[in-house]
Amino acid sequence: PWPGSGGTDLPGDGVDVWDLVVEGSQSPRTEVPLNVDTSNTGFAAGNFSAIINGTWKLIHGKAGVYDGWWDRSPYRHENVTAAAAAVEVDGVDCWLFDLSRDEEERINVAEANPDVVTALRARLAALADPSAGYVDPQPNTPHMAALPGLHNGTWAPFEETAELV
């Protein structure tokens, strides 16, 4: 069985969560692939992958525009601190957070936990293996009308109208 698969022999992310859905029982899932993208095209060209396994969250490669923390009540912004900055591992930026101790992902613990980084990077590599069904995503360039600069710093849905085209 695949790690985090709940004991199934399915490749990738096949986990039977039916009992969770209909009965509210505990999830067999111990892993959540958040994004697996090793392509070199589109808006965030380069590796853009992340996974949660147990209490660990690894962001591997380009993390996009990482500009700090946002609070919605009241709506305010805090800048990134040095404790949360990327750590370069084998030439690739990564962030590792222990979600059991740091729910807000403010302290990158990658340097202190190289074995966890190695294991989670290996799992991301397995998920990105074409023989396991991985296919590069289609290019997904954002529409200019959705850009955060037009919407108080947040990505926003938009309706394409004659004015926007």
Side-chain angles (χ1 to χ4, degrees), residues 67-121:
D67 64 350
W69 299 274
W70 293 87
D71 192 343
R72 63 176 189 254
S73 181
Y75 194 66
R76 64 184 174 85
H77 173 256
E78 289 181 54
N79 288 322
V80 176
T81 63
V87 172
E88 192 172 297
V89 178
D90 297 329
V92 179
D93 284 347
C94 73
W95 294 259
L96 180 68
F97 302 103
D98 181 350
L99 299 177
S100 69
R101 296 178 182 184
D102 181 20
E103 293 177 355
E104 294 181 339
E105 302 174 14
R106 292 179 180 262
I107 302 171
N108 185 352
V109 295
E111 285 183 324
N113 297 279
D115 53 332
V116 176
V117 172
T118 299
L120 293 179
R121 287 174 65 180

Side-chain angles (χ1 to χ4, degrees), residues 8 17 21 27 30 40 45 49 52 59 62 68 76 80 86 98 102 104 121 135 137-138 150-151 158 164:
T8 71
V17 295
V21 172
S27 175
T30 59
N40 200 21
S49 302
I52 295 174
I59 302 170
K62 295 189 178 192
R76 64 184 174 85
V80 176
D98 181 350
D102 181 20
E104 294 181 339
R121 287 174 65 180
V135 177
Q138 67 185 20
L150 302 175
H151 307 282
F158 63 92
L164 297 175

